[in-house]
Amino acid sequence: MRGRVPVPGRWHKRRPGARFAVFDRRVWLLVGAMLVFRFGQGLFYPFSTIYFHNFVGIPLSLIGAGLGLLAAASVFSGLISGPLADRYGRRPVMLAALSGSAASFALFAAAGGLPGYLLACLVAGLAGSSMFDASRNAMVADVTPPGLRARAYGLVRVGGNVGWALGPAVAGLVAASAGSSAGTYRLMFAGTAALTLLVALSLALLATESRPAFAAPGGELPFTGLRAALADGRFAALLAAAFLLYYVFTQDWQALPVYARNFLGIEEGRIGLFLAGNGLVVILLQMPVARLLDARSKTAALLACSLLFAASSATLLLTESFLGILLAFAGFFTLAEMILEVAGAALAAEMAPDGQRGTYLALFGVCFGAAQGLSPVVAGALLDARMPDAVWVLQLLAAGLAAGALVILRRKVREP
């Protein structure tokens, strides 16, 4: 039976005449959890390559191999975490993910060479962001009515972006004031592990389970829903479009700073400006964008997202100025990103049958991991070959193919 999703407690709907939506307290708990979790990640990821190359002595190519291992493990994690969340609940999977993530950061802090680094990458991929995101998104969908889901996802995302903006800034200040030594970096990585454990403890004490009472009946194996989800033609079309859109999303973050510095000669300070512009726009506009999307077709929103990504890539093809890059990245790209992250998850939740919401949302999340594993490799090869225009042409092609898949999907999905 579709449409009725019994959960512990009631959905918190907007009261007549109320200006703001009223969300379940678990949504607010996840906003705080994401802020602290992403803050901790911000202490680690921007500086991890510097530490492992300059202080541990791992070649950059092998650091890249470790990140590839992490991406591959996160895809596998996404495939299993959704069915597990549907069978055993969102809360235990979230807690397992956060505990595993804390362990991985502790392993990174202790790693003294390549074997330790690769082990930490494997643990981070298997029990980390991918598993946490799948169960977290399922909980948000469980406790939020369809008409508020885009706003709920947007709210959680703003919390994560605030944390991600603060983390690297604090890490940079710590490294500058304490001196860029191996001990300083290890201390920051250990701090990330401690913050992640703090998030796990807070959710263990404060967050109650949200899994629908009739999800994943006892006689059903946890992974039978995986095959059914992949056989759903509408959902398969959404996954194809999502992979193509995330290809553009993940590739820009990897390729654009290198392109701006090495091909256009833009100095690091100005590169930091357009990267910071992205975060600022997300913090300011994510909720208004999400509010706009809640009462409208998510498929049409994703179609607009693909056109915005295409506009960003076309701008990078046509201009080599700093203002052009600012418009392409902090403008078109950031608007597309804000739509993709909330409309995509909301549409996946709407498509999911009762009892398979975790599986559908985890598979949607796998699209990010799969794209993240491929796009930097392609961009790196093209930039090494001094063919930067080919990067943006491929992105245009990916955005166009995604738009085609979404046009087909829109004919098959009933939406506002």
Side-chain angles (χ1 to χ4, degrees):
M1 187 173 73
R2 300 293 299 276
R4 243 179 36 43
V5 184
V7 296
R10 291 170 141 187
W11 273 336
H12 287 230
K13 296 186 179 181
R14 193 161 117 176
R15 296 186 301 270
R19 186 176 174 187
F20 298 107
V22 180
F23 295 106
D24 186 282
R25 66 186 294 272
R26 284 163 288 192
V27 173
W28 293 106
L29 282 172
L30 291 173
V31 172
M34 281 294 290
L35 194 156
V36 179
F37 183 53
R38 296 294 187 223
F39 175 82
Q41 288 185 319
L43 291 176
F44 173 77
Y45 281 110
F47 298 92
S48 59
T49 299
I50 296 171
Y51 170 72
F52 284 111
H53 181 61
N54 293 359
F55 293 98
V56 180
I58 300 174
L60 288 172
S61 60
L62 293 178
I63 291 175
L67 294 176
L69 176 64
L70 192 156
S74 71
V75 170
F76 176 75
S77 173
L79 291 174
I80 65 171
S81 58
L84 289 175
D86 283 336
R87 180 61 181 268
Y88 300 110
R90 313 336 184 180
R91 187 171 171 272
V93 175
M94 276 197 294
L95 297 180
L98 290 167
S99 300
S101 189
S104 73
F105 289 124
L107 287 170
F108 278 124
L114 181 62
Y117 171 72
L118 292 177
L119 174 63
C121 286
L122 181 63
V123 174
L126 289 176
S129 291
S130 181
M131 181 178 282
F132 177 60
D133 291 347
S135 47
R136 180 203 76 214
N137 283 339
M139 179 173 279
V140 171
D142 289 341
V143 301
T144 310
L148 292 178
R149 276 186 192 142
R151 267 171 280 182
Y153 283 126
L155 190 62
V156 173
R157 187 162 188 266
V158 167
N161 271 272
V162 170
W164 183 254
L166 292 174
V170 171
L173 288 173
V174 170
S177 60
S180 296
S181 66
T184 301
Y185 284 107
R186 285 195 296 268
L187 185 62
M188 286 195 296
F189 301 166
T192 299
L195 285 171
T196 307
L197 274 181
L198 176 64
V199 174
L201 180 62
S202 300
L203 291 180
L205 293 174
L206 300 174
T208 54
E209 182 55 59
S210 67
R211 182 177 67 106
F214 48 74
E220 214 176 277
L221 293 174
F223 302 106
T224 53
L226 206 56
R227 187 186 310 158
L230 293 172
D232 181 341
R234 299 174 314 146
F235 186 58
L238 174 61
L239 293 181
F243 171 77
L244 292 164
L245 293 173
Y246 276 124
Y247 174 88
V248 180
F249 175 58
T250 56
Q251 191 172 76
D252 252 28
W253 275 104
Q254 298 289 331
L256 192 54
V258 177
Y259 168 71
R261 183 68 189 92
N262 294 353
F263 289 84
L264 304 183
I266 296 174
E267 61 272 18
E268 285 84 349
R270 301 188 92 190
I271 291 172
L273 283 178
F274 70 72
L275 294 176
N278 169 272
L280 180 62
V281 172
V282 169
I283 291 169
L284 292 177
L285 296 184
Q286 181 68 80
M287 287 309 296
V289 168
R291 185 184 182 89
L292 200 64
L293 294 177
D294 257 331
R296 289 168 175 80
S297 163
K298 308 302 184 295
T299 313
L302 290 173
L303 183 58
C305 164
S306 66
L307 297 177
L308 285 165
F309 273 143
S312 174
S313 300
T315 302
L316 292 170
L317 267 176
L318 295 172
T319 181
E320 295 184 347
S321 69
F322 171 74
L323 288 178
I325 292 179
L326 189 65
L327 173 64
F329 191 74
F332 298 134
F333 177 90
T334 303
L335 284 171
E337 169 193 340
M338 289 189 289
I339 294 170
L340 174 59
E341 291 286 88
V342 298
L347 182 56
E350 288 173 15
M351 286 184 170
D354 294 331
Q356 288 184 261
R357 193 172 287 142
T359 299
Y360 271 60
L361 284 163
L363 286 172
F364 182 81
V366 162
C367 295
F368 177 88
Q372 190 178 36
L374 175 65
S375 64
V377 176
V378 175
L382 291 172
L383 292 175
D384 279 344
R386 304 202 66 79
M387 298 170 58
D389 285 356
V391 175
W392 319 127
V393 170
L394 280 177
Q395 288 188 359
L396 269 172
L397 179 61
L401 290 172
L406 289 163
V407 167
I408 294 171
L409 178 61
R410 183 153 168 73
R411 294 172 183 164
K412 297 180 178 181
V413 177
R414 287 185 180 180
E415 289 188 289

